[in-house]
Amino acid sequence: MISPEQVVEMLKPTATAGPIPTVIPTPPQYQDSSTAGHRTLWVVFALMLLSSGFFSLLSWNVPTSKRLFHVITTLITIIASLSYFAMATGQASSFVCSAAKDHHKHVPDIPYTECRQVYWARYVDWALTTPLLILDLCFLAGVDGAHTLMAVIADVIMVLSGMFAAYGDNKTAQHWGWYAIGCVSYLFVVWHVAVHGTTMVRAKGVKVTRLFASLALFTLAIWTTYPVVWGIAEGAHKMSVDTEIMAYAVLDLLAKPVFGIWLLISHRASAETNVDLGGWWSHGFGSEGRIRIGDED
Ligand code: RET
């Protein structure tokens, strides 16, 4: 028989019974831009716009036949202004989420989702402007059409690979696989523009050869820093989105306005840098025999 005391004892809460265990999922962690990043985007937008105005002024009074570098260089900064405007106003980015783990020594690793802001406007900008920068260098060195076309295509593949890598799953080959494809494409660009260009430019004399050598070296140093920033920021997520914005801002300003000023001022000072694209560039097709008033050529 069970005594009433025993019943009371049985109904008492035991030491092991506690609150019902709950599983609290770790909320996703967001890596996105803040005020510092937005301000930087606005400043670069303004500088790109100013450079576009300055490059247009430089082409004033230059006959159409000698305006090739002006046109290409101005287009580069105009496209960059549009891309920076989109980013500064909060457009043209999306979040890429991936699985991550918090590592602990004495307790099991805690899984969580990490979402990072990726600005796709950059890739649209680079896909349009890097081929134009390549055209500037190829025209300056007198690189033939075949090598120029190969360089442009390799360059577009490089930029698209970077975009696929940024949007790829970082736990699979999508992320670093595409990055590797982008790096190989970049080597092709360097081969066609820098290596082949250095041979071709010799035919244009010492002045152009020196200018091309310095511009190509400057470009090589800056362009090579892009995949390094990408690897640390979008690749390994070891750099904040604001720092990434600032790093790309410095690189973009060097690669576009500074490169453009250097090229256009040197071009103005030396007639050997002129490029003859034939009649189509200045007069269009089928214009033979037309009398042109006020055209220097
Ligand atoms: C990516 C990632 C994939 C591998 C490589 C890259 C290189 C990018 C470069 C960008 C240059 C941009 C310029 C912009 C001017 O405003 C796409 C980052 C190699 C070289 C010059």
Side-chain angles (χ1 to χ4, degrees), residues 126 130 133 158-159 162 179 182-183 186 223 226-227 230 252 255-256:
W126 296 350
T130 50
L133 286 161
M158 172 191 85
V159 175
Y179 178 78
C183 289
Y186 177 55
W223 283 42
Y226 279 89
W230 193 99
D252 286 353
K256 288 168 171 160

Side-chain angles (χ1 to χ4, degrees), residues 192-217:
H192 288 295
V193 182
V195 181
H196 190 65
T198 308
T199 321
M200 298 291 283
V201 75
R202 290 200 192 114
K204 290 198 154 198
V206 183
K207 237 178 164 182
V208 188
T209 304
R210 276 205 196 127
L211 174 64
F212 176 76
S214 0
L215 270 175
L217 203 67

Side-chain angles (χ1 to χ4, degrees), residues 4 24 29 53 64 120 167 212 215 233 241 292:
I24 304 164
Q29 287 183 15
T64 317
W120 53 260
Y167 281 94
F212 176 76
L215 270 175
V241 175
R292 292 174 214 103

